[in-house]
Amino acid sequence: MAGFSETGPAAPVALRELLVELGDLKRVRSAGRAGSIAERLFAQGWAALTGGVAPETVAFDITAKALAAARLCDLDAAFLAAAGLDEAQAADILVAGLDAVSGPVEAGLRDRLRACLREPAALSSGPVPAFVGALAQQPRAGVTCPGKPRILLEPPENHAEHCLVVAVYGVLLSPFYRADPTTVFLAAMAHHFHNAAMPDAGFTGEMLLGDHLWPIVGRCSEWALDELEPPLRETVGAARLVLPDDATAEGRAFHAADSIDRVLQIAQHLRAATLTMDTVLGEMELVHAGPVKAFQDRVLTDMRIP
């Protein structure tokens, strides 16, 4: 994967399809598990951080799990163990899930993520900060522009889902920008701290707040930071220093991840709205090969479906 330069491409297009697929972790849910996969990985990541796990370990562990889940969804280590598989068998499946999507990922990073699934770190779990649940309950604003009514697309994502996906994108994009992936991951996980307390009125609301905007954002962000004990509080605060601009490699990786996720979120709604039966029945083989496919095809034909 070629790296970033001032005169070359600003982002690695080879990762595009993978990032689209990972964005769907905001929308995958399973019986008996509260929230989407993205929402749960966000909480898991923060619990590990407050439990004293090294941020670098958390960043790669959560990213590896996200890549495996892109195809396996909630067929995760916990389910596979409950279903009777041993650790080696479960690891084989999880690595196969990662390998199915990780071809465009920088080779060294891909090997490290694969190792996270082969030999998972023992993640001690600390208290889940209150801001985690608040961000999971806080919907994103939708499409807003000053002077115009907002465009709402249902169901909305929440801020926990957005932060998690941006964090995973940031790790995957880091080699291209030659950025420290752990810093990018932490910055992304914490970049909407203010929205734990501050309802999201989007760009429109921010502009209407005028000179009050940044003092309010700062105050609300401090409330979330204050939930973290030292030295984690200082580590997260230091990572957040890359958020204001693209002057650093980490800032570029974060802002690339953030903008990609914001736009792909809207693209997902548009993609669903333009889906055709040719794609569903042809490309995606909704009625797929098997012992009864011929009969099923006749049924659909005689029922004039679609």
Side-chain angles (χ1 to χ4, degrees), residues 58-69:
V58 177
F60 287 103
D61 178 85
I62 294 296
T63 301
K65 287 173 177 172
L67 262 69

Side-chain angles (χ1 to χ4, degrees), residues 4-5 10 20 51 57 82 103 127 141 147 150 157 161 192 203 241 251 253 259 272 275-276 279 285 293:
F4 172 81
S5 69
V20 170
T57 300
R150 77 174 59 202
E157 62 179 327
E161 293 168 330
H192 273 285
F203 184 32
L241 294 177
S259 58
L275 188 64
T276 67
T279 298
E285 300 183 68
K293 185 178 188 306

Side-chain angles (χ1 to χ4, degrees), residues 256-270:
D258 183 47
S259 58
I260 289 168
D261 182 59
R262 279 190 284 151
V263 178
L264 285 182
Q265 172 67 18
I266 307 306
Q268 182 271 335
H269 288 278
L270 301 178

Side-chain angles (χ1 to χ4, degrees), residues 131-151:
F131 63 71
V132 170
L135 288 169
Q137 293 174 12
Q138 191 76 273
R140 302 265 292 154
V143 183
T144 68
C145 181
K148 298 181 173 73
R150 77 174 59 202
I151 299 171

Side-chain angles (χ1 to χ4, degrees), residues 166-221:
V166 173
V168 170
Y169 284 4
V171 171
L172 299 177
L173 290 165
S174 287
F176 180 81
Y177 298 101
R178 300 181 180 88
D180 173 49
T182 303
T183 299
V184 179
F185 179 86
L186 284 181
M189 290 282 278
H191 80 286
H192 273 285
F193 265 3
H194 57 286
N195 286 118
M198 181 180 182
D200 190 354
F203 184 32
T204 300
E206 292 175 351
M207 292 303 95
L208 290 172
L209 285 173
D211 292 341
H212 299 293
L213 171 63
W214 292 114
I216 291 173
V217 168
R219 196 172 302 125
C220 291
S221 297

